[in-house]
Amino acid sequence: MARLPYKKTLEEFDFTFQPSVDKKVIHEMATMSFVYQAVNLVFLGPPGVGKSHLAVALATAALSQGYSAYFVNVAELMDELKRAQEENRLNARMRKYLRPKLLVIDEVGYLPFDPVAASLFFQLISTRYEQGSVILTSNKGLGDWGQMFGDAVLATAILDRLLHHAHIVNIRGASYRMRDKMRSGVYGSPAREGSATV
Ligand code: ADP
Ligand code: MG
């Protein structure tokens, strides 16, 4: 029911490969004190560094501790909310994303938000504010959010709610997907470009 896209656990995460991720901090998150306190987690970084893996693993931990959780890709989320608004059933659809104690919103930043989507996203984040946790993953640094939402004022309002009670994990470093290729020398040294900055 949580619609997790695949099975990943924290035990499967190689912290030695990604030294910018503090194992102690992630294991503290796995106690779910952040869910209890309706604190948000924001995982930032370039593709392949483990953002979705950590989000799925933490959602799995939440479920095993009895919290409701739901995983959604941001593109699917925005499509659903926009369609619901057009069909005058936005409130019912919003409830689906307000009800879980933990909502994972994956892959924010790959596509820009049009004005309708940006406004719906703001509604969702501000209604969940201090009510339930969000884990958000993004390949865009927070400084790029104004451009991503096409509206600096709205982006600031979203970040204000999202970050008031939040932990930001900024993952720098190489893509795990490229690990074997880098080892075999296909790519030379790890690519650093595109690292998110706050
Ligand atoms: P992102 O969401 O940051 O683009 P993913 O979480 O999808 O990256 O990671 C890409 C793949 O690499 C997944 O199969 C994931 O399980 C794996 N992976 C990434 N980082 C690690 C890691 N440090 N240890 C083990 N597997 C990892
Ligand atoms: Mg991902």
Side-chain angles (χ1 to χ4, degrees), residues 2-8 52-53 55-56 59 70-73 104 106:
R3 301 281 307 273
L4 300 184
Y6 39 69
K7 195 180 152 291
K8 292 282 177 187
S52 301
H53 181 138
V56 169
Y70 196 84
F71 183 104
V72 69
N73 182 283
V104 179
D106 197 34

Side-chain angles (χ1 to χ4, degrees), residues 70-140:
Y70 196 84
F71 183 104
V72 69
N73 182 283
V74 72
E76 188 188 327
L77 169 69
M78 298 329 305
D79 280 351
E80 270 197 29
L81 292 180
K82 279 204 254 181
R83 200 169 332 118
Q85 189 174 46
E86 282 161 17
E87 296 169 5
N88 286 319
R89 50 181 182 82
L90 181 61
N91 284 351
R93 189 52 12 150
M94 268 293 182
R95 270 199 294 280
K96 171 178 168 186
Y97 297 107
L98 295 173
R99 212 180 298 123
K101 281 300 286 177
L102 173 61
L103 177 66
V104 179
I105 307 177
D106 197 34
E107 298 202 325
V108 175
Y110 283 106
L111 299 171
F113 286 69
D114 63 40
V116 173
S119 151
L120 289 167
F121 192 78
F122 170 73
Q123 272 184 58
L124 176 62
I125 296 300
S126 56
T127 313
R128 282 192 69 89
Y129 173 65
E130 295 185 338
Q131 302 298 320
S133 297
V134 173
I135 296 181
L136 186 147
T137 81
S138 181
N139 64 325
K140 288 269 194 303

Side-chain angles (χ1 to χ4, degrees), residues 53-74:
H53 181 138
L54 291 171
V56 169
L58 288 169
T60 305
L63 292 166
S64 72
Q65 291 173 48
Y67 292 105
S68 51
Y70 196 84
F71 183 104
V72 69
N73 182 283
V74 72

Side-chain angles (χ1 to χ4, degrees), residues 150-168:
D151 181 333
V153 175
L154 191 61
T156 305
I158 292 168
L159 286 174
D160 184 58
R161 270 74 167 183
L162 191 69
L163 302 184
H164 183 202
H165 311 291
H167 297 296
I168 300 173

